[in-house]
Amino acid sequence: MQLERIDQWRARIPRDAGRGMRTEVIAYASERLLEQIRKDLSLEQAMNVATLPGIVGPSLTMPDIHQGYGFPIGGVAATDYQHGVVSPGGVGFDINCGVRLLNTTLTERDVRPRLKELVDQVFRDIPCGTGGKGPFDITAKQLEEALVKGASWMVQQGYGEPRDAEFSEAGGCLPEADADEVSARAKERGRPQLGTIGSGNHFLEIQYVESIHHPEAARAMGLEQGRVVVLLHCGSRGLGHQVCTDFLAEMGAAMKRHNISVPDRQLACVPVQSREGQSYLKAMRAAANFAWANRQGILHLLRASFARLFGKEARIRMLYDVCHNIAKREIHVVDGVKREVLVHRKGATRAFPPNHPEIPQEYRRIGQPVLVPGSMGTASWILVGAEAAMGETFGSVCHGAGRLMSRTAARKGRNAREVQDSLAGRGIIVRSETRDGILEEIPEAYKDVDEVIEVVEGAGLARKVARLRPMGVIKG
Amino acid sequence: MNFEVLEHTADIGFRAWGATFDALLANASCALVAIAVELEEVEPRQPYPITARGEDRESLLVNWLNEVLYYLDGRQIALSRFDIRQRGEWEASGVGWGEPRSLAHHAKLIVKGVTYHQLRIAQEHGRWCCEVYLDI
């Protein structure tokens, strides 16, 4: 593989027509991160993405990239909306897996003395792990409404405030969703799971603002040093997983009909404008809306948990909600020409710069908030989108720290109790349904989130706003 | 043991073996269930029908595993024994024996989906072998 460094933050793999690449790969990474990245197949996967018919601009990788299925996790690819393809693998099984950040009226000093109580309360109130059943008992008809309306449907049912939906990417609802394109199986799998976190790397963290790096943006978001916030990471649960499974099963035959071949079967794709492509996109949007309804349900439960401990005056205010597994229809300027593209963000976050009309008025002059969770014991970041993201990465940046170690390797030679005690020694209380859940998500299993953030800021894709430190972790 | 777990940076996979392709389907199904719950704790009390079709061997295996996963995560039924009763070139039908999921199964994690990533099916040393990666 020919890898050329462009500058301190960017590297390039030139287009190799022999491999069927239609464009080059641009990798955002420092030399040290690139060394780690080259240990797995993620750059080869980005080269495979470069073969997708109708790809516009380069195949992009973010500094938190690691090996995924078909697409690398941390990959961005835009395809022409009229003449390009859509790849369900470019969205993944967990459609609209995303992050929601909530501001509170409490400070670290208010919460620290009652932290254990709070973590236990939240752990009791919000279903997580493999249990799977949520507290919102909705009918099949109500589910269909949620699939079309997303977060605002939950708000209409009394599970939240209008601001909650408004301060989400896309207002917590993708238009052009169609519940009829979602299979009965997907609905059956997802319906009982509304209001649940799930397992794997999903979590809810009680954190505090450790440092402020962009005072104006922090002010606009109502953040100050010591302020307690809550970060939630989860997605569309079994409903989204089944939508992906259903469409992947159809893709093989559909690709033959459309005469498309790809180097990795998990990259299966069809023309955006084909019947199958449109059908997938309508189902994917419905699943994305379910994810927003799910995160909204969890916010509702969280408000009750906080109120039980800190009274009604402890308010929880929506800060922002972003998705990092999605394909979005967007307009971008490519080589000076406005183009309608489908931006696949697989483990990548939208990061629109200041003054973009899709950013809520309160944040418009500072840029879109970007939420980047780190690993369990380290830190998370709030960023805002910057100009270079719009010019270079279809308005996208990283989505996390990026995994370094396999789950099996993370478990090896470690004891859950010791990990829990060591985190407690650093002021972090962890609750998990399973011991493996704690071991698999140990901080050492991830890259250094600060280094990932240095790259996106150095490259001008986003600006640091605040660094968050965890206090309480509910592991899925 | 007719299967083993494989490592992956972010997720998990398994390698399974079988004297015949039917046995491979059965053992791969056990591997999938064993990654999600304690397979030994699942009593094969009742039969549940499974039918799957594909356009080649790989898609038949993936679609069959998707059926097992649908029982597990959709119907909330864990299966621990599999009999393949009929098989055409790219289709198979049979039953999975199991029971409704319970705490006794000690759920380990949620499998989101079965992928085609580095999927491999081969005949080696007179037996069938497959490698499958799961999104978790």
Side-chain angles (χ1 to χ4, degrees), chain B residues 51-102:
Chain B
T51 301
R53 250 176 228 100
E55 68 230 26
D56 49 28
R57 197 171 280 131
E58 284 75 15
S59 52
L60 171 58
L61 173 64
V62 169
N63 292 343
W64 176 275
L65 292 173
N66 280 337
E67 295 300 308
V68 177
L69 179 57
Y70 166 67
Y71 271 116
L72 194 66
D73 198 48
R75 300 272 305 273
Q76 295 293 308
I77 290 162
L79 305 171
S80 59
R81 213 184 78 203
F82 298 86
D83 297 332
I84 284 81
R85 293 189 171 160
Q86 268 192 321
R87 199 164 59 77
E89 193 179 14
W90 311 133
E91 60 181 274
S93 64
V95 292
W97 295 82
E99 59 180 349
R101 292 186 61 169
S102 75

Coordinates of all heavy atoms in Angstrom, one line a residue, chain B residues 51-102:
Chain B
T51 N -36.1 -22.3 8.5 CA -36.0 -22.5 7.1 C -35.1 -21.3 6.6 O -35.3 -20.2 7.0 CB -37.3 -22.4 6.4 OG1 -38.1 -23.5 6.9 CG2 -37.2 -22.7 4.9
A52 N -34.2 -21.6 5.7 CA -33.4 -20.5 5.2 C -33.0 -20.8 3.7 O -32.9 -22.0 3.4 CB -32.1 -20.3 6.0
R53 N -32.9 -19.7 3.0 CA -32.5 -19.9 1.6 C -31.4 -18.9 1.3 O -31.2 -17.9 1.9 CB -33.7 -19.5 0.7 CG -34.3 -20.6 0.0 CD -35.6 -20.3 -0.8 NE -36.6 -21.2 -0.5 CZ -37.6 -21.0 0.4 NH1 -37.7 -19.9 1.0 NH2 -38.5 -22.0 0.6
G54 N -30.6 -19.2 0.3 CA -29.5 -18.3 -0.1 C -29.3 -18.4 -1.6 O -30.0 -19.2 -2.3
E55 N -28.4 -17.6 -2.2 CA -28.1 -17.7 -3.6 C -26.8 -18.5 -3.8 O -26.3 -18.7 -4.9 CB -28.1 -16.4 -4.3 CG -27.0 -15.5 -3.8 CD -27.5 -14.1 -3.5 OE1 -28.6 -13.9 -3.0 OE2 -26.7 -13.2 -3.6
D56 N -26.1 -18.8 -2.7 CA -24.9 -19.6 -2.7 C -24.7 -20.1 -1.3 O -25.5 -19.8 -0.4 CB -23.7 -18.8 -3.2 CG -23.5 -17.4 -2.5 OD1 -24.0 -17.3 -1.3 OD2 -23.0 -16.5 -3.0
R57 N -23.6 -20.8 -1.1 CA -23.4 -21.5 0.2 C -23.2 -20.4 1.3 O -23.7 -20.6 2.4 CB -22.1 -22.3 0.1 CG -21.9 -23.3 1.2 CD -20.8 -24.2 0.8 NE -21.1 -25.2 -0.1 CZ -20.4 -25.5 -1.2 NH1 -19.3 -24.9 -1.5 NH2 -20.8 -26.5 -2.0
E58 N -22.5 -19.3 1.0 CA -22.2 -18.3 2.0 C -23.5 -17.6 2.5 O -23.8 -17.5 3.7 CB -21.3 -17.2 1.5 CG -19.8 -17.6 1.4 CD -19.5 -18.6 0.2 OE1 -20.4 -18.7 -0.7 OE2 -18.4 -19.2 0.3
S59 N -24.4 -17.3 1.5 CA -25.6 -16.6 1.9 C -26.6 -17.5 2.6 O -27.3 -17.1 3.5 CB -26.3 -15.9 0.7 OG -26.4 -16.7 -0.4
L60 N -26.5 -18.8 2.2 CA -27.3 -19.8 3.0 C -26.9 -19.8 4.4 O -27.8 -19.8 5.3 CB -27.2 -21.2 2.3 CG -27.8 -22.3 3.1 CD1 -29.3 -22.1 3.3 CD2 -27.6 -23.7 2.4
L61 N -25.6 -19.9 4.7 CA -25.1 -19.9 6.1 C -25.5 -18.7 6.8 O -26.1 -18.7 7.9 CB -23.6 -20.1 6.1 CG -22.9 -20.0 7.5 CD1 -23.4 -21.1 8.4 CD2 -21.4 -20.0 7.3
V62 N -25.3 -17.5 6.2 CA -25.6 -16.2 6.9 C -27.1 -16.1 7.1 O -27.6 -15.8 8.2 CB -25.1 -15.0 6.0 CG1 -25.7 -13.7 6.6 CG2 -23.6 -15.0 6.0
N63 N -27.9 -16.5 6.1 CA -29.4 -16.4 6.3 C -29.9 -17.4 7.4 O -30.8 -17.1 8.1 CB -30.1 -16.6 5.0 CG -29.8 -15.5 4.0 OD1 -29.4 -14.4 4.4 ND2 -30.1 -15.7 2.8
W64 N -29.3 -18.6 7.4 CA -29.6 -19.5 8.5 C -29.3 -19.0 9.9 O -30.1 -19.0 10.8 CB -28.9 -20.9 8.2 CG -29.1 -21.9 9.3 CD1 -28.4 -22.0 10.5 CD2 -30.1 -22.9 9.3 NE1 -29.0 -23.0 11.3 CE2 -30.0 -23.6 10.5 CE3 -31.1 -23.3 8.4 CZ2 -30.8 -24.7 10.9 CZ3 -31.9 -24.4 8.8 CH2 -31.8 -25.1 10.0
L65 N -28.1 -18.4 10.0 CA -27.7 -17.8 11.3 C -28.6 -16.6 11.6 O -28.9 -16.4 12.8 CB -26.2 -17.4 11.2 CG -25.2 -18.5 11.1 CD1 -23.8 -18.0 10.9 CD2 -25.3 -19.4 12.4
N66 N -29.0 -15.9 10.6 CA -30.0 -14.8 10.9 C -31.3 -15.3 11.5 O -31.9 -14.6 12.3 CB -30.3 -14.0 9.6 CG -29.2 -13.1 9.2 OD1 -28.4 -12.6 10.0 ND2 -29.1 -12.7 7.9
E67 N -31.7 -16.5 11.1 CA -32.9 -17.1 11.6 C -32.7 -17.4 13.1 O -33.6 -17.1 14.0 CB -33.3 -18.3 10.9 CG -33.7 -18.1 9.4 CD -34.9 -17.2 9.3 OE1 -35.9 -17.4 9.9 OE2 -34.8 -16.2 8.5
V68 N -31.5 -18.0 13.4 CA -31.2 -18.3 14.8 C -31.1 -17.0 15.7 O -31.7 -17.0 16.8 CB -29.9 -19.1 14.9 CG1 -29.5 -19.4 16.3 CG2 -30.0 -20.4 14.0
L69 N -30.6 -16.0 15.1 CA -30.4 -14.7 15.8 C -31.8 -14.1 16.0 O -32.1 -13.5 17.1 CB -29.5 -13.8 15.0 CG -29.3 -12.4 15.6 CD1 -28.8 -12.5 17.0 CD2 -28.3 -11.6 14.7
Y70 N -32.7 -14.2 15.0 CA -34.0 -13.7 15.2 C -34.8 -14.4 16.3 O -35.4 -13.7 17.1 CB -34.8 -13.8 13.8 CG -36.3 -13.6 14.0 CD1 -36.7 -12.3 14.3 CD2 -37.2 -14.6 13.8 CE1 -38.1 -12.1 14.5 CE2 -38.5 -14.4 14.0 CZ -39.0 -13.1 14.3 OH -40.3 -12.9 14.5
Y71 N -34.6 -15.7 16.4 CA -35.2 -16.4 17.6 C -34.7 -15.8 18.9 O -35.4 -15.5 19.8 CB -34.9 -17.9 17.5 CG -36.0 -18.7 16.8 CD1 -35.6 -19.3 15.6 CD2 -37.3 -18.7 17.2 CE1 -36.6 -20.1 14.9 CE2 -38.2 -19.5 16.5 CZ -37.9 -20.1 15.4 OH -38.9 -20.8 14.7
L72 N -33.3 -15.6 18.9 CA -32.7 -15.2 20.1 C -33.1 -13.8 20.6 O -33.4 -13.5 21.7 CB -31.2 -15.2 19.9 CG -30.2 -15.2 21.1 CD1 -30.4 -16.4 21.9 CD2 -28.8 -15.1 20.6
D73 N -33.0 -12.8 19.6 CA -33.2 -11.4 20.0 C -34.6 -10.9 19.7 O -35.0 -10.0 20.3 CB -32.1 -10.5 19.2 CG -32.0 -9.1 19.8 OD1 -31.8 -9.1 21.1 OD2 -32.1 -8.1 19.1
G74 N -35.3 -11.5 18.7 CA -36.6 -11.1 18.4 C -37.7 -11.9 19.2 O -38.4 -11.3 20.0
R75 N -37.7 -13.2 19.0 CA -38.6 -14.0 19.7 C -38.2 -14.3 21.2 O -39.0 -14.9 21.9 CB -38.8 -15.3 18.9 CG -39.3 -15.2 17.5 CD -40.8 -15.1 17.4 NE -41.5 -16.3 18.0 CZ -41.7 -17.4 17.4 NH1 -41.3 -17.6 16.1 NH2 -42.3 -18.4 18.0
Q76 N -37.0 -14.0 21.5 CA -36.5 -14.3 22.9 C -36.5 -15.8 23.2 O -36.9 -16.2 24.3 CB -37.3 -13.5 23.9 CG -37.2 -12.0 23.8 CD -35.8 -11.5 24.1 OE1 -35.2 -11.8 25.2 NE2 -35.2 -10.7 23.2
I77 N -36.1 -16.5 22.2 CA -36.0 -18.0 22.4 C -34.5 -18.4 22.1 O -33.9 -18.1 21.1 CB -36.9 -18.7 21.4 CG1 -38.4 -18.5 21.9 CG2 -36.6 -20.2 21.4 CD1 -39.4 -18.8 20.8
A78 N -33.9 -19.1 23.1 CA -32.5 -19.5 22.9 C -32.6 -21.0 22.4 O -33.3 -21.8 23.0 CB -31.8 -19.4 24.2
L79 N -31.8 -21.3 21.4 CA -31.7 -22.7 20.9 C -30.4 -23.3 21.2 O -29.4 -22.6 21.1 CB -32.0 -22.6 19.4 CG -33.3 -21.9 18.9 CD1 -33.3 -21.7 17.4 CD2 -34.5 -22.7 19.4
S80 N -30.3 -24.6 21.4 CA -29.0 -25.1 21.8 C -28.7 -26.4 21.0 O -27.7 -27.0 21.2 CB -28.9 -25.4 23.3 OG -30.0 -26.3 23.7
R81 N -29.7 -26.9 20.2 CA -29.5 -28.1 19.4 C -30.2 -28.0 18.1 O -31.3 -27.4 18.1 CB -30.0 -29.4 20.2 CG -29.2 -30.6 19.9 CD -29.8 -31.8 20.6 NE -31.0 -32.3 19.8 CZ -32.0 -33.0 20.3 NH1 -32.0 -33.3 21.6 NH2 -32.9 -33.5 19.5
F82 N -29.6 -28.4 17.0 CA -30.1 -28.2 15.7 C -30.1 -29.4 14.9 O -29.2 -30.2 14.8 CB -29.3 -27.1 15.0 CG -29.3 -25.8 15.7 CD1 -28.4 -25.5 16.8 CD2 -30.2 -24.8 15.4 CE1 -28.4 -24.3 17.5 CE2 -30.2 -23.6 16.1 CZ -29.3 -23.4 17.2
D83 N -31.3 -29.7 14.3 CA -31.4 -30.8 13.3 C -31.7 -30.3 12.0 O -32.8 -29.7 11.8 CB -32.5 -31.8 13.7 CG -32.3 -32.4 15.1 OD1 -31.1 -32.6 15.5 OD2 -33.3 -32.7 15.8
I84 N -30.9 -30.5 11.0 CA -31.2 -30.1 9.6 C -31.9 -31.3 9.0 O -31.3 -32.4 8.9 CB -29.9 -29.6 8.9 CG1 -29.5 -28.2 9.4 CG2 -30.2 -29.5 7.4 CD1 -28.7 -28.2 10.6
R85 N -33.1 -31.1 8.5 CA -33.9 -32.2 8.1 C -34.0 -32.3 6.6 O -34.1 -33.4 6.0 CB -35.3 -32.2 8.7 CG -35.2 -32.4 10.2 CD -36.5 -32.5 10.9 NE -36.3 -32.9 12.2 CZ -37.1 -32.8 13.2 NH1 -38.3 -32.3 12.9 NH2 -36.9 -33.2 14.4
Q86 N -33.9 -31.2 5.9 CA -34.0 -31.2 4.5 C -33.1 -30.2 3.9 O -33.0 -29.1 4.5 CB -35.4 -30.8 4.0 CG -36.3 -32.0 3.8 CD -37.6 -31.6 3.1 OE1 -38.1 -30.6 3.3 NE2 -38.0 -32.5 2.2
R87 N -32.4 -30.5 2.9 CA -31.5 -29.5 2.3 C -31.4 -29.6 0.8 O -31.2 -30.7 0.3 CB -30.1 -29.5 2.9 CG -29.4 -28.2 2.7 CD -28.2 -28.1 3.6 NE -27.2 -29.1 3.4 CZ -26.4 -29.2 2.3 NH1 -26.4 -28.2 1.5 NH2 -25.5 -30.2 2.2
G88 N -31.7 -28.5 0.2 CA -31.5 -28.4 -1.3 C -30.1 -27.8 -1.5 O -29.4 -27.7 -0.5
E89 N -29.8 -27.4 -2.7 CA -28.4 -26.9 -2.9 C -28.2 -25.7 -2.1 O -27.2 -25.6 -1.3 CB -28.3 -26.6 -4.4 CG -26.8 -26.3 -4.7 CD -26.6 -26.1 -6.2 OE1 -27.6 -25.8 -6.9 OE2 -25.4 -26.1 -6.6
W90 N -29.1 -24.7 -2.2 CA -28.9 -23.4 -1.4 C -30.1 -23.2 -0.5 O -30.5 -22.0 -0.2 CB -28.7 -22.2 -2.4 CG -27.8 -22.3 -3.5 CD1 -28.0 -22.0 -4.8 CD2 -26.4 -22.8 -3.4 NE1 -26.9 -22.3 -5.5 CE2 -25.9 -22.8 -4.7 CE3 -25.6 -23.3 -2.4 CZ2 -24.6 -23.2 -5.0 CZ3 -24.3 -23.7 -2.7 CH2 -23.8 -23.7 -4.0
E91 N -30.6 -24.2 0.0 CA -31.7 -24.0 1.0 C -31.6 -25.1 2.1 O -31.2 -26.2 1.8 CB -33.1 -23.9 0.4 CG -33.5 -25.1 -0.4 CD -34.9 -24.8 -1.0 OE1 -35.9 -25.0 -0.3 OE2 -34.9 -24.3 -2.2
A92 N -32.1 -24.8 3.2 CA -32.1 -25.8 4.3 C -33.3 -25.6 5.2 O -33.8 -24.4 5.4 CB -30.8 -25.7 5.1
S93 N -33.9 -26.7 5.7 CA -34.9 -26.5 6.7 C -34.7 -27.6 7.8 O -34.1 -28.6 7.6 CB -36.3 -26.6 6.1 OG -36.5 -27.8 5.6
G94 N -35.2 -27.3 9.0 CA -35.0 -28.2 10.1 C -35.6 -27.6 11.4 O -36.5 -26.7 11.3
V95 N -35.1 -28.0 12.5 CA -35.6 -27.4 13.7 C -34.4 -27.1 14.7 O -33.4 -27.7 14.6 CB -36.5 -28.4 14.5 CG1 -37.9 -28.6 13.8 CG2 -35.9 -29.7 14.8
G96 N -34.7 -26.1 15.5 CA -33.7 -25.7 16.5 C -34.5 -26.1 17.8 O -35.7 -25.8 18.0
W97 N -33.8 -26.8 18.8 CA -34.4 -27.2 20.0 C -33.9 -26.2 21.1 O -32.7 -25.9 21.2 CB -34.0 -28.6 20.4 CG -34.5 -29.6 19.5 CD1 -33.9 -30.0 18.3 CD2 -35.7 -30.4 19.6 NE1 -34.7 -30.9 17.7 CE2 -35.8 -31.2 18.5 CE3 -36.7 -30.5 20.6 CZ2 -36.8 -32.2 18.3 CZ3 -37.7 -31.4 20.5 CH2 -37.7 -32.2 19.3
G98 N -34.9 -25.7 21.9 CA -34.5 -24.7 22.9 C -35.7 -24.4 23.8 O -36.6 -25.1 23.9
E99 N -35.6 -23.2 24.4 CA -36.6 -22.7 25.3 C -36.6 -21.2 25.4 O -35.6 -20.6 25.0 CB -36.3 -23.3 26.7 CG -34.9 -22.9 27.2 CD -34.6 -23.4 28.6 OE1 -35.5 -24.0 29.2 OE2 -33.5 -23.3 29.0
P100 N -37.7 -20.6 25.9 CA -37.7 -19.2 26.1 C -36.6 -18.7 26.9 O -36.2 -19.4 27.9 CB -39.1 -18.9 26.7 CG -39.9 -20.0 26.3 CD -39.0 -21.2 26.3
R101 N -36.0 -17.5 26.6 CA -34.9 -17.0 27.3 C -35.2 -16.7 28.8 O -36.3 -16.3 29.1 CB -34.3 -15.8 26.6 CG -33.7 -16.1 25.3 CD -33.1 -14.9 24.7 NE -32.0 -14.4 25.5 CZ -31.1 -13.5 25.1 NH1 -31.2 -13.0 23.9 NH2 -30.1 -13.1 25.9
S102 N -34.2 -17.0 29.6 CA -34.4 -16.7 31.1 C -33.1 -16.3 31.7 O -32.1 -16.4 31.0 CB -35.0 -18.0 31.8 OG -33.9 -18.9 31.9

